[in-house]
């Protein structure tokens, strides 16, 4: 007896699985560093991309932004944090959500640095990137 192959995203009967709508629309934040490795001093440009958020969602219009940098030998609790907490000063019909965030950092000590980006909506909803490593040689 030969069974047909099962491809990712399909059930054994060959029918596509239904993706949960909430999971598909869940906000996500991706953070990249360029360069992610280099000789001291390293000037790294951090860029975060927010997806899964409506561009006119008032909850994420001028959302709070927190950049976290963990230097070599430190823990997350000891990490350096920069918080930007802008306010909406425009009429509600002009709501616009930023989907790209960037920051430049200069790293002078050799070692592995971890960076993370947090976006927080007005209702407290937090979207966190995973940690991105920058290696200074």
């Amino acid at each position: 007896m030969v069974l047909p192959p099962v491809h990712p995203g399909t059930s054994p009967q060959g029918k596509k699985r239904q993706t949960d709508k909430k999971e598909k629309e869940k906000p996500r934040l991706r953070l990249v560093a360029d360069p992610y490795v280099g000789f001291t001093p390293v000037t790294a440009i951090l860029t975060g991309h927010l997806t899964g958020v409506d561009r006119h969602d008032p909850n994420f219009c001028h959302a709070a932004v927190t950049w976290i940098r963990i230097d070599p030998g430190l823990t997350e609790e000891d990490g350096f944090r920069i918080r930007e907490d802008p306010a909406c000063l425009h009429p509600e019909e002009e709501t616009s959500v930023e989907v790209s965030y960037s920051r430049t950092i200069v790293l002078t000590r050799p070692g592995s640095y971890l960076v993370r980006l947090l976006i927080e909506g007005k209702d407290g909803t937090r979207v966190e990137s995973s940690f991105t490593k920058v290696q200074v040689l």
Side-chain angles (χ1 to χ4, degrees):
M1 181 165 136
V2 178
L3 296 175
V6 176
H7 298 284
T10 62
S11 68
Q13 293 80 20
K15 296 179 182 175
K16 285 197 171 196
R17 287 189 302 232
Q18 294 296 321
T19 304
D20 184 78
K21 188 175 181 180
K22 282 198 174 236
E23 181 65 28
K24 189 175 185 178
E25 294 176 358
K26 182 177 178 184
R28 298 189 188 284
L29 189 56
R30 182 173 164 253
L31 180 64
V32 294
D34 183 36
Y36 60 89
V37 65
F39 290 100
T40 186
V42 172
T43 300
I45 299 171
L46 308 173
T47 306
H49 298 282
L50 179 64
T51 58
V53 174
D54 182 349
R55 295 291 306 253
H56 302 289
D57 182 348
N59 186 46
F60 283 98
C61 182
H62 294 94
V65 177
T66 304
W67 297 90
I68 301 170
R69 184 183 88 199
I70 303 172
D71 291 3
L74 296 181
T75 65
E76 186 173 359
E77 292 78 31
D78 299 326
F80 181 68
R81 294 173 182 262
I82 296 174
R83 182 172 171 94
E84 303 162 6
D85 204 0
C88 288
L89 300 175
H90 54 77
E92 189 173 328
E93 61 272 4
E94 294 177 15
T95 298
S96 179
V97 176
E98 291 295 323
V99 294
S100 183
Y101 304 85
S102 66
R103 182 167 223 45
T104 301
I105 58 173
V106 178
L107 306 171
T108 56
R109 272 193 10 225
S112 293
Y113 293 79
L114 296 174
V115 290
R116 171 179 262 179
L117 177 59
L118 302 156
I119 306 295
E120 187 173 341
K122 291 171 182 58
D123 69 353
T125 301
R126 290 174 52 144
V127 184
E128 300 180 9
S129 72
S130 59
F131 280 104
T132 298
K133 183 166 91 169
V134 179
Q135 183 70 43
V136 179
L137 305 173

